Each structure stands twice: as structure tokens, then as C-alpha cells.
Amino acid sequence: MTPQNPRLYKTVLLFPLIFLFTACTAGDAQFTQGEPAGFWYGLWHGMIAFITLIIHLFNDNVTVYEVHNTGSWYDFGFLLGVIIVWGGSSHVSCRSAANRKRDKEWEEIGEKVEQKIMRRLKEWAEDEDDADVVKEWDEISDKVEKKLKRKLREWAEKE
């Protein structure tokens, strides 16, 4: 059975999910000094921290972090929950390292292609007996070099 309007179907499912997430938010009366939040609640609160933050903007009774907690274990759970959902920052550095490696490879390829083309153009210009062609070589090589670099960069960025 497929819904008639999938967008409406997703919206209807979203609201109960949001209420489920907010049912166990930090800062409610469930936790006291006598019964503080522990590791598992810290983990949960870390996982729903972003949603709780949005709700906190409109409702001061809901907080992102439970003040009545067991201390280090709650903190560890909270941090672990945030890392589970947001993935930490390690993937950013790996991705940028991969991009740097790819850019370096393309730069090396571009330099090799550029050198080969320049060598062939220079050979062509030197084979010509016309002195004007040899004089204009510096201008031609500069223009070719700039255009080649630009085109290679544009081509590499498309992929």
C-alpha cells in the first residue's frame, strides 16, 4: 500500500518521532539530586542534543544538558551520543586529506602534460625558419600555459 501523498505521509510520521525524541529530554522533573541521570541517559541526551537545542530556543523548561547527573559517566555518555550522531571530526580531516592527495595528483598530471605540450610547441617554433615565429614564442608559450592550466583545473573540478 503506497500513500497518495508521500510528502504528507512523511510529515505525519515526523511529528510522533519528534515527540518521541523530546519525551526524554534533559532538564525535566524526572531527574533529581537523589536520582541523577547516568551514562545511558547521557548517551540519549547527546544523541538528541540538536533537537533539544531547537526546542530550548522556544521553551526555557527544556535544556540540552541534564544538570542532575552522575558526573563523568553522564558526560562521557553525552559526548559519545553527540559523536555517534554527528560522527566526530575525524571524517573531515580524512576527506580533506583525500582531496589534497587528489589535487596533488592532478597537479602532477597537469605539469607533465604542460611540459610535454610546451616542449612540442617549442620544437615546432624552432623548426620554423621564420624569425618572427621564434620571437613570438615567449608570448605564445605564456598564453598556452595559462589556458592549459585553467582548462585542466576546470576539467579536474568537474569530477
Side-chain angles (χ1 to χ4, degrees):
M1 179 175 155
T2 58
Q4 294 290 338
N5 188 347
R7 193 174 204 179
L8 178 65
Y9 182 71
K10 290 177 185 178
T11 305
V12 169
L13 285 177
L14 180 67
F15 283 110
L17 189 63
I18 289 173
F19 288 124
L20 175 69
F21 281 147
T22 60
C24 299
T25 59
D28 62 9
Q30 177 182 2
F31 306 108
T32 63
Q33 287 292 347
E35 291 187 35
F39 171 78
W40 295 110
Y41 279 110
L43 182 69
W44 177 248
H45 292 161
M47 291 172 78
I48 65 169
F50 183 71
I51 295 169
T52 308
L53 176 65
I54 293 171
I55 294 169
H56 175 69
L57 294 174
F58 302 103
N59 184 354
D60 289 336
N61 295 330
V62 176
T63 59
V64 176
Y65 185 83
E66 178 59 53
V67 292
H68 301 293
N69 63 59
T70 56
S72 300
W73 281 111
Y74 177 84
D75 294 342
F76 179 67
F78 187 87
L79 183 61
L80 192 60
V82 170
I83 290 172
I84 287 170
V85 172
W86 297 106
S89 63
S90 63
H91 68 283
V92 173
S93 62
C94 292
R95 198 173 320 139
S96 62
N99 286 342
R100 283 193 302 265
K101 182 180 178 186
R102 185 178 51 123
D103 290 345
K104 184 179 178 185
E105 290 172 354
W106 278 112
E107 192 173 314
E108 289 174 2
I109 291 170
E111 286 175 8
K112 287 179 183 178
V113 170
E114 179 184 347
Q115 288 172 359
K116 189 172 184 177
I117 290 173
M118 294 304 226
R119 187 174 57 243
R120 295 289 175 119
L121 285 172
K122 192 172 185 177
E123 288 171 3
W124 169 76
E126 289 173 351
D127 287 346
E128 292 289 323
D129 291 333
D130 191 2
D132 291 334
V133 172
V134 176
K135 277 183 171 180
E136 294 175 356
W137 167 247
D138 290 332
E139 287 180 31
I140 294 171
S141 65
D142 288 341
K143 288 179 183 179
V144 169
E145 181 180 357
K146 288 177 185 176
K147 187 168 185 173
L148 180 62
K149 284 182 180 179
R150 187 178 71 243
K151 291 295 184 181
L152 279 173
R153 192 172 297 121
E154 289 172 2
W155 179 66
E157 290 174 355
K158 285 182 183 179
E159 292 188 16

